[in-house]
Amino acid sequence: MPTSLLGADMAESERATTSESFAFACLSCGYGWEQSFERERHTGPEGERVIRYLVDGRPVPSPLIHPSCPNCGGHRVRVLPAGAVDDVRRGPGSGAP
């Protein structure tokens, strides 16, 4: 089934919304950050699966497809599980939980 990343308007009753968070690490400049998203899923008028990501209520491109670094604009970005950036910043043996 095709997937649309920025879906059109949809009826409230047809939405399935979940919250997702990801960590990102730029392989060009070393910058790391985390971002939370709302992910809306529904079935489109022709039966296609539609997925739309939102930040602060505004549609944004999927964070999993070609992310870019807000620090340098680079596209060599690794997507990691939420919390991974903080784990790296603490470092091994830091004693932090």
Side-chain angles (χ1 to χ4, degrees):
M1 254 187 237
T3 300
S4 171
L5 299 176
L6 297 174
D9 292 332
M10 57 193 97
E12 194 69 39
S13 63
E14 298 173 13
R15 292 183 201 186
T17 304
T18 58
S19 295
E20 295 184 352
S21 296
F22 300 98
F24 301 89
C26 180
L27 302 178
S28 295
C29 72
Y31 184 70
W33 70 101
E34 295 207 13
Q35 179 72 55
S36 294
F37 300 86
E38 292 295 316
R39 186 175 84 162
E40 293 180 346
R41 293 173 296 155
H42 81 285
T43 301
E46 297 179 20
E48 74 277 16
R49 184 175 61 166
V50 178
I51 298 173
R52 183 168 78 156
Y53 285 89
L54 300 112
V55 172
D56 297 326
R58 294 186 320 254
V60 297
S62 168
L64 305 175
I65 299 174
H66 203 62
S68 60
C69 176
N71 187 54
C72 73
H75 294 288
R76 293 180 51 217
V77 175
R78 175 85 33 107
V79 181
L80 306 163
V85 171
D86 287 337
D87 290 346
V88 170
R89 286 182 182 151
R90 281 195 293 263
S94 68

